[in-house]
Amino acid sequence: QYLLLQHGGLTTLGINTCIVGVPAVAAGLVYPVLRRLRVPAFGRGLVLGGGAVAGAVGLNFLALLLGGKESWERLAELVLLAHVPVVLVEGLMLGVLVSYLEKVKPDLLGSRSGAAR
C-alpha cells in the first residue's frame, strides 16, 4: 500500500492484518464448536462466512471511527453500509461451499465421513 499509494506504512500494514486476520482466526476456532453442536453444514458456512466478513467490516468501522486525526465518521458509516450485501453473499457462498465439501471431501473440513453434519 505504501509503495503503490504513498500512504500508510508498518502501522497500516499491522492494522489491516488485524482487521482481516482476527475474524478469520475466530471463525476457524468456532467451526469445530458448531460441528460438535451438530449445526448443519450450510448453517455453519452461513454463520462463519457472514460472521467473518461482518467481523472484518466491524473492525474496519472501528478503525476508521476511532483511529485518526481527521474525523472519518461519515466514511466509516458508508463502509459499514456498503458491506451489508457482501456479508450476505459471503455467508451464502460459504454455506454452499461447506455443504458441498461435507459431501465430496469431508476430510478437508476435519470430518471423518460425509454423514457428520
Side-chain angles (χ1 to χ4, degrees):
Q1 184 176 349
Y2 179 74
L3 294 175
L4 290 174
L5 305 173
Q6 310 306 308
H7 175 72
L10 287 179
T11 57
T12 304
L13 178 63
I15 193 69
N16 288 343
T17 301
C18 289
I19 287 171
V20 175
V22 168
V25 170
L29 295 173
V30 171
Y31 184 81
V33 173
L34 293 177
R35 192 174 60 218
R36 277 193 300 271
L37 292 173
R38 299 196 183 277
V39 174
F42 181 81
R44 288 188 303 239
L46 183 70
V47 167
L48 295 177
V53 173
V57 170
L59 289 174
N60 191 16
F61 173 78
L62 289 174
L64 287 171
L65 194 62
L66 304 174
K69 295 177 185 173
E70 300 91 19
S71 176
W72 289 351
E73 213 171 287
R74 186 72 178 142
L75 177 63
E77 292 169 355
L78 289 173
V79 166
L80 194 64
L81 184 62
H83 282 84
V84 170
V86 176
V87 170
L88 298 173
V89 170
E90 181 69 25
L92 292 172
M93 287 176 57
L94 195 62
V96 170
L97 181 64
V98 170
S99 295
Y100 175 74
L101 286 176
E102 194 74 37
K103 292 176 186 165
V104 298
K105 196 80 167 155
D107 53 316
L108 284 177
L109 301 174
S111 299
R112 301 205 182 243
S113 69
R117 293 182 151 228

